[in-house]
Amino acid sequence: MARKGDIVHLVIEDVTFGSEGIARLDGQVVFVPAALPGEEVEARIVQRKRDFLRAQIVEWKTRSGHRLQPPCPHFAFCGGCVWQDVAYEYQLQLKHRIVAETLRRIGGFGEVPIHPVLASPQAFRYRNKMEFSFSAHRWILPDEPDPLPKPRDFALGFHIPGRYDKVLDIDACWLQSEENDQILQAVKAFALESGKTPWNTRTRSGFWRFLVLREGKNTGQRMINLVTYEHDSEINRRFLAFAALHSLPYTTLVNNATKSLGGVAFGESEVVLDGPGIIHETLGKFTFEISANSFFQTNSLQAENLYRKAVEFARLTGAETVFDLYCGTGSIAIFVSPYARRVVGIELVEAAVTNARRNAALNGVNNCTFEVGDIGKEFRRAWRYEERYAKPDVVIVDPPRAGVHPNGLKGILALKPERVVYVSCNPSTFARDARFLVDSGYDLVQVQPVDMFPHTAHIELVAELVKR
Ligand SMILES: C[S@@+](CC[C@H](N)C(=O)[O-])C[C@H]1O[C@@H](n2cnc3c(N)ncnc32)[C@H](O)[C@@H]1O
């Protein structure tokens, strides 16, 4: 039996949803971060649990033929793009394999058609939102010369995996536009010279907290959101002048302040420094308003494809009542609205519901109703929704990673819709929920995996379930 610290020879057989390679050693499962199927490695056992081992690669004996040179200079340390050195076509195959294996293992589905993964229209620079953290503790790279090329006590970038007190300083990110790279570098230069300190997670003090960049991929509008501990009108005035001098390519500039000690770039108060304080994005023929703190799908171009699949699987004729559970800011409901008689969206977060109503009004959509509600609580008495509106013909769900609350699932059964369209960002909880629905009278007809996040192991899917 291998012990912690042992170096072992492993042949990788598969990958997990978390992008780790899977090997076997004396009948035990070994997870190997960053390894691909077919690769042979020498690895050190770093974790021993009752059911599995985890090992870090010490040396590659054979590398997968699907590996390539990653374009990003930060790839080795950043951890954001685990598969940037893997050919995109092969990433899609891996994601298909993960969905199929998860559906088989957790849901017991062996026969369900799982279509090839829908590729993202852009494999790089696809994100419409990026969040960078300021830190007083820069992650020092192992090969940095002495004297250090950058200050030790200032960074703007990403927390690297497992080190939440330190930040890897980033100059450019291949997941955002080149314009945003320019803005990132400029904001960093300004903050460094500002006389204000970056956030220090140990003393829980500092001025600069986050830089959030948002961009309408279809509209070209761009928001710079400087998130600071407090508003400082002098800094804001100087930054405005700096942004004009350097012709920074933004359409609106805002300053959010937060005194929260947590690592969330959510402002408690906002000052609009320039422009309208919002940007717009379009999905299909619809326009959505995005403010600094509102939720919006991160990969705009692929979100449209995801929603098209949801519309297709809903098989609407224009006569149906559709319930959109976990509706967020209403983008699915609005996208579906031309094909249905009525759409009812239910969502926990009040601000999102306000956004959803606004988005519907902005687009002249008048057959959508949005309600605040906790599915886990309200769907214990799901019949109330039927009384208030009508029996839904189709229920669309797009839950968070935890999946649909058991009361939500029971409520759906009580409403007896002809079909359920399940949009999922977690194949494991989807497999569990789909099994429940299938055991309760629905057929799982087909599954369409959709790649919203190239170079990461995340995978979304849309599934069609029909009442037997
Ligand atoms: C994956 S997002 C879906 C967003 C939306 N469909 C979209 O594409 O923009 C999940 C949503 O579920 C909401 N949510 C989480 N727990 C909930 C609950 N118990 N009841 C209702 N909504 C909930 C979250 O606030 C979030 O907006």
XYZ file of all heavy atoms in Angstrom, residues 229-288:
464
model
N -11.887 50.455 -0.885
C -12.409 50.316 0.478
C -13.415 51.419 0.773
O -14.407 51.222 1.447
C -11.240 50.385 1.466
C -11.671 50.174 2.898
C -12.077 48.916 3.339
C -11.680 51.237 3.804
C -12.482 48.719 4.648
C -12.084 51.038 5.113
C -12.487 49.787 5.526
O -12.888 49.586 6.812
N -13.098 52.624 0.258
C -14.014 53.752 0.438
C -13.900 54.661 -0.785
O -12.954 54.532 -1.562
C -13.665 54.535 1.714
C -12.253 55.065 1.693
C -11.741 55.449 3.068
O -12.533 55.474 4.018
O -10.549 55.720 3.183
N -14.849 55.544 -0.944
C -14.779 56.492 -2.060
C -13.778 57.577 -1.703
O -13.763 58.085 -0.580
C -16.147 57.143 -2.313
C -17.208 56.157 -2.683
N -17.196 55.452 -3.861
C -18.324 55.746 -2.019
C -18.255 54.654 -3.912
N -18.947 54.811 -2.803
N -12.955 57.941 -2.669
C -12.005 59.025 -2.462
C -12.120 59.926 -3.695
O -11.655 59.559 -4.787
C -10.591 58.451 -2.309
C -9.564 59.537 -2.038
O -9.622 60.602 -2.689
O -8.680 59.318 -1.190
N -12.742 61.090 -3.510
C -13.065 61.913 -4.673
C -11.806 62.423 -5.376
O -11.781 62.580 -6.596
C -13.970 63.077 -4.270
O -13.405 63.754 -3.187
N -10.736 62.611 -4.614
C -9.491 63.091 -5.214
C -8.894 62.015 -6.135
O -8.471 62.298 -7.259
C -8.512 63.491 -4.080
C -7.119 63.895 -4.515
C -7.089 65.052 -5.501
O -8.110 65.762 -5.640
O -6.037 65.229 -6.172
N -8.867 60.765 -5.632
C -8.369 59.647 -6.457
C -9.236 59.514 -7.707
O -8.729 59.349 -8.826
C -8.391 58.320 -5.646
C -7.281 58.329 -4.588
C -8.276 57.094 -6.550
C -5.887 58.070 -5.116
N -10.540 59.592 -7.534
C -11.449 59.454 -8.681
C -11.192 60.550 -9.716
O -11.169 60.291 -10.920
C -12.909 59.481 -8.215
C -13.317 58.160 -7.563
O -12.634 57.144 -7.746
N -14.395 58.167 -6.797
N -10.988 61.770 -9.236
C -10.742 62.879 -10.146
C -9.433 62.641 -10.907
O -9.358 62.784 -12.125
C -10.657 64.190 -9.336
C -10.683 65.469 -10.163
C -10.323 66.687 -9.334
N -9.025 66.587 -8.660
C -7.843 66.623 -9.267
N -7.771 66.748 -10.577
N -6.725 66.520 -8.563
N -8.418 62.185 -10.181
C -7.119 61.930 -10.833
C -7.218 60.781 -11.828
O -6.620 60.803 -12.897
C -6.063 61.610 -9.761
C -5.446 62.883 -9.164
C -4.632 62.593 -7.920
N -3.652 61.518 -8.087
C -3.073 60.872 -7.076
N -3.343 61.207 -5.827
N -2.204 59.919 -7.285
N -7.997 59.746 -11.466
C -8.104 58.606 -12.391
C -8.823 59.007 -13.679
O -8.429 58.584 -14.772
C -8.807 57.395 -11.753
C -8.784 56.198 -12.682
C -7.598 55.491 -12.877
C -9.900 55.829 -13.422
C -7.535 54.423 -13.766
C -9.845 54.770 -14.320
C -8.658 54.060 -14.478
N -9.849 59.843 -13.543
C -10.568 60.317 -14.746
C -9.617 61.028 -15.700
O -9.630 60.789 -16.921
C -11.663 61.292 -14.316
C -13.095 60.792 -14.345
C -14.050 61.877 -13.892
C -13.471 60.321 -15.753
N -8.780 61.887 -15.143
C -7.816 62.632 -15.964
C -6.818 61.663 -16.600
O -6.476 61.769 -17.791
C -7.092 63.664 -15.101
N -6.377 60.679 -15.811
C -5.417 59.669 -16.283
C -6.022 58.853 -17.435
O -5.381 58.601 -18.461
C -5.061 58.764 -15.087
C -4.226 57.568 -15.420
C -2.834 57.640 -15.403
C -4.820 56.339 -15.717
C -2.060 56.515 -15.685
C -4.054 55.225 -16.009
C -2.670 55.318 -15.992
N -7.292 58.451 -17.260
C -7.974 57.636 -18.278
C -8.114 58.427 -19.584
O -7.954 57.875 -20.680
C -9.341 57.198 -17.769
N -8.378 59.735 -19.464
C -8.515 60.568 -20.664
C -7.158 60.722 -21.350
O -7.043 60.579 -22.569
C -9.086 61.930 -20.278
N -6.128 60.972 -20.533
C -4.773 61.161 -21.072
C -4.314 59.927 -21.849
O -3.682 60.029 -22.901
C -3.813 61.440 -19.910
C -2.380 61.770 -20.279
C -2.317 63.158 -20.926
C -1.479 61.742 -19.039
N -4.658 58.731 -21.331
C -4.210 57.490 -21.971
C -5.247 56.914 -22.924
O -5.100 55.780 -23.400
C -3.838 56.453 -20.914
C -2.602 56.827 -20.150
N -2.632 57.692 -19.070
C -1.313 56.501 -20.342
C -1.409 57.859 -18.622
N -0.583 57.152 -19.378
N -6.313 57.676 -23.195
C -7.398 57.234 -24.102
C -7.854 55.815 -23.787
O -7.939 54.961 -24.683
C -6.940 57.303 -25.562
O -6.388 58.538 -25.851
N -8.129 55.541 -22.520
C -8.571 54.186 -22.175
C -9.911 53.897 -22.855
O -10.819 54.738 -22.828
C -8.697 54.026 -20.652
C -7.385 54.086 -19.867
C -7.615 53.685 -18.413
C -6.320 53.197 -20.486
N -10.022 52.712 -23.467
C -11.196 52.423 -24.305
C -12.425 51.953 -23.505
O -12.854 50.819 -23.620
C -10.691 51.311 -25.226
C -9.639 50.620 -24.427
C -9.023 51.626 -23.516
N -12.988 52.844 -22.690
C -14.185 52.468 -21.920
C -15.366 53.332 -22.344
O -15.183 54.398 -22.942
C -13.917 52.633 -20.410
C -13.784 54.073 -19.972
C -14.902 54.817 -19.618
C -12.545 54.708 -19.925
C -14.796 56.148 -19.227
C -12.426 56.033 -19.541
C -13.557 56.742 -19.203
O -13.464 58.058 -18.829
N -16.578 52.858 -22.009
C -17.764 53.692 -22.257
C -18.379 54.180 -20.952
O -19.177 55.113 -20.954
C -18.831 52.937 -23.083
O -19.110 51.690 -22.430
C -18.363 52.678 -24.497
N -18.046 53.485 -19.850
C -18.484 53.998 -18.552
C -17.475 53.609 -17.471
O -16.811 52.577 -17.580
C -19.913 53.523 -18.198
O -20.378 54.282 -17.079
C -19.960 52.049 -17.838
N -17.397 54.474 -16.476
C -16.400 54.298 -15.421
C -17.109 54.476 -14.081
O -17.766 55.502 -13.865
C -15.325 55.365 -15.630
C -14.209 55.528 -14.617
C -13.474 54.234 -14.377
C -13.223 56.582 -15.150
N -17.010 53.460 -13.218
C -17.679 53.563 -11.914
C -16.714 53.207 -10.794
O -15.706 52.524 -11.017
C -18.939 52.644 -11.831
C -19.954 53.004 -12.883
C -18.565 51.182 -11.936
N -17.019 53.687 -9.610
C -16.235 53.363 -8.419
C -17.198 52.780 -7.379
O -18.136 53.433 -6.948
C -15.570 54.638 -7.889
C -14.946 54.462 -6.512
O -15.016 55.363 -5.677
N -14.327 53.324 -6.253
N -16.962 51.494 -7.057
C -17.748 50.855 -6.007
C -16.895 50.783 -4.749
O -15.685 50.529 -4.829
C -18.138 49.432 -6.415
C -19.445 49.417 -7.199
O -20.484 49.058 -6.678
N -19.373 49.860 -8.461
N -17.535 51.002 -3.598
C -16.792 50.902 -2.339
C -17.366 49.766 -1.512
O -18.584 49.539 -1.512
C -16.895 52.214 -1.569
N -16.478 49.034 -0.859
C -16.931 47.969 0.037
C -16.028 47.874 1.259
O -14.809 47.836 1.126
C -17.015 46.591 -0.667
O -17.354 45.614 0.319
C -15.712 46.191 -1.335
N -16.647 47.824 2.421
C -15.888 47.652 3.658
C -15.960 46.194 4.106
O -15.428 45.834 5.155
C -16.442 48.581 4.752
C -16.152 50.057 4.456
C -16.275 50.902 5.703
C -15.546 52.219 5.637
N -15.821 53.100 4.534
N -16.583 45.362 3.283
C -16.690 43.939 3.618
C -15.288 43.318 3.636
O -14.437 43.652 2.802
C -17.569 43.251 2.584
O -17.079 41.963 2.317
N -15.058 42.401 4.572
C -13.725 41.805 4.686
C -13.575 40.591 3.776
O -12.496 40.063 3.583
C -13.452 41.414 6.150
C -13.499 42.590 7.132
C -13.220 42.121 8.548
C -12.496 43.685 6.749
N -14.685 40.131 3.239
C -14.641 38.953 2.367
C -14.038 39.277 1.012
O -13.815 40.436 0.665
N -13.780 38.236 0.238
C -13.129 38.439 -1.055
C -14.120 38.603 -2.190
O -13.958 37.995 -3.240
N -15.156 39.398 -1.994
C -16.169 39.539 -3.036
C -16.196 40.973 -3.546
O -16.317 41.921 -2.773
C -17.573 39.173 -2.492
C -18.590 39.165 -3.615
C -17.530 37.818 -1.810
N -16.093 41.114 -4.874
C -15.991 42.443 -5.483
C -17.357 43.088 -5.650
O -17.714 43.563 -6.717
C -15.305 42.315 -6.846
N -18.144 43.062 -4.601
C -19.505 43.579 -4.674
C -19.566 44.883 -3.896
O -19.299 44.913 -2.691
C -20.460 42.546 -4.053
C -21.899 42.801 -4.354
C -22.501 42.227 -5.462
C -22.660 43.620 -3.537
C -23.830 42.457 -5.752
C -23.994 43.860 -3.819
C -24.584 43.274 -4.926
N -19.905 45.984 -4.586
C -19.887 47.280 -3.929
C -21.107 47.507 -3.051
O -22.213 47.103 -3.401
N -20.871 48.139 -1.901
C -22.009 48.517 -1.046
C -22.562 49.877 -1.478
O -23.715 50.200 -1.217
C -21.570 48.569 0.424
C -21.359 47.181 1.011
C -20.167 47.097 1.949
O -19.667 48.149 2.405
O -19.711 45.971 2.209
N -21.696 50.679 -2.104
C -22.178 51.939 -2.662
C -21.395 52.235 -3.930
O -20.267 51.762 -4.099
C -22.008 53.071 -1.651
O -20.641 53.238 -1.378
N -22.034 52.999 -4.812
C -21.417 53.211 -6.127
C -21.459 54.679 -6.513
O -22.449 55.367 -6.261
C -22.198 52.381 -7.157
C -21.689 52.563 -8.583
C -22.378 51.622 -9.561
O -22.113 50.417 -9.507
O -23.189 52.110 -10.368
N -20.353 55.136 -7.124
C -20.329 56.483 -7.696
C -20.040 56.317 -9.184
O -19.099 55.609 -9.563
C -19.200 57.336 -7.063
C -19.192 58.732 -7.655
C -19.329 57.392 -5.565
N -20.869 56.925 -10.026
C -20.613 56.868 -11.468
C -19.693 58.029 -11.811
O -20.017 59.194 -11.563
C -21.932 56.949 -12.270
C -21.644 56.963 -13.767
C -22.844 55.782 -11.910
N -18.513 57.724 -12.368
C -17.525 58.770 -12.654
C -17.638 59.283 -14.085
O -17.289 60.418 -14.371
C -16.108 58.245 -12.429
C -15.818 57.644 -11.044
C -14.385 57.166 -10.975
C -16.105 58.660 -9.964
N -18.088 58.410 -14.975
C -18.189 58.825 -16.364
C -19.161 57.888 -17.099
O -19.251 56.712 -16.745
C -16.789 58.756 -17.022
C -16.713 59.582 -18.299
O -17.676 60.322 -18.592
O -15.691 59.488 -18.998
N -19.855 58.402 -18.067
C -20.778 57.582 -18.852
C -22.045 57.252 -18.064
O -22.286 57.801 -16.998
N -22.850 56.313 -18.602
C -24.176 56.050 -18.011
C -24.171 55.148 -16.773
O -25.224 54.921 -16.184
C -24.926 55.370 -19.162
C -23.857 54.740 -19.994
C -22.638 55.589 -19.862
N -23.019 54.554 -16.411
C -22.994 53.671 -15.234
C -23.444 52.254 -15.544
O -23.468 51.399 -14.671
N -23.820 52.000 -16.786
C -24.233 50.653 -17.211
C -23.649 50.390 -18.603
O -23.234 51.334 -19.291
C -25.771 50.519 -17.329
C -26.320 51.680 -18.183
C -26.456 50.464 -15.982
C -27.578 51.353 -18.895
N -23.642 49.117 -18.982
C -23.366 48.799 -20.387
C -24.517 47.934 -20.893
O -25.320 47.427 -20.095
C -22.017 48.053 -20.583
C -21.975 46.757 -19.767
C -20.843 48.959 -20.275
C -20.838 45.835 -20.162
N -24.599 47.786 -22.202
C -25.619 46.920 -22.787
C -24.945 45.737 -23.457
O -23.816 45.835 -23.929
C -26.441 47.685 -23.837
C -27.274 48.759 -23.242
N -26.898 50.081 -23.251
C -28.457 48.699 -22.584
C -27.807 50.799 -22.621
N -28.767 49.985 -22.208
N -25.675 44.618 -23.473
C -25.235 43.464 -24.246
C -26.458 42.930 -24.971
O -27.587 43.065 -24.465
C -24.641 42.398 -23.313
C -24.161 41.118 -23.978
C -23.044 41.307 -25.001
O -23.231 42.106 -25.952
O -21.992 40.659 -24.869
N -26.248 42.358 -26.140
C -27.388 41.775 -26.838
C -27.232 40.257 -26.892
O -26.118 39.733 -26.985
C -27.514 42.306 -28.284
O -26.302 42.007 -28.983
C -27.746 43.799 -28.324
N -28.366 39.584 -26.801
C -28.420 38.134 -27.028
C -29.548 37.946 -28.021
O -30.697 38.288 -27.719
C -28.744 37.372 -25.747
C -27.689 37.344 -24.635
C -28.179 36.517 -23.457
C -26.367 36.783 -25.140
N -29.231 37.456 -29.220
C -30.250 37.394 -30.264
C -30.745 38.795 -30.531
O -29.951 39.742 -30.628
N -32.076 38.959 -30.572
C -32.604 40.304 -30.865
C -32.845 41.118 -29.595
O -33.362 42.225 -29.659
C -33.897 40.177 -31.679
C -34.992 39.430 -30.962
C -36.232 39.371 -31.828
C -37.344 38.652 -31.086
N -38.583 38.554 -31.770
N -32.471 40.562 -28.442
C -32.768 41.244 -27.178
C -31.555 41.986 -26.616
O -30.419 41.533 -26.765
C -33.272 40.238 -26.141
C -34.534 39.566 -26.568
C -34.530 38.235 -26.962
C -35.732 40.270 -26.618
C -35.696 37.619 -27.380
C -36.897 39.662 -27.042
C -36.882 38.328 -27.424
N -31.868 43.116 -25.965
C -30.811 43.917 -25.351
C -30.933 43.822 -23.835
O -32.041 43.878 -23.294
C -30.984 45.395 -25.771
O -30.895 45.446 -27.200
C -29.903 46.283 -25.172
N -29.813 43.668 -23.159
C -29.821 43.575 -21.703
C -28.936 44.673 -21.126
O -27.876 44.990 -21.678
C -29.306 42.198 -21.254
C -30.211 41.083 -21.695
C -30.065 40.501 -22.947
C -31.238 40.649 -20.884
C -30.914 39.500 -23.380
C -32.102 39.641 -21.298
C -31.937 39.061 -22.552
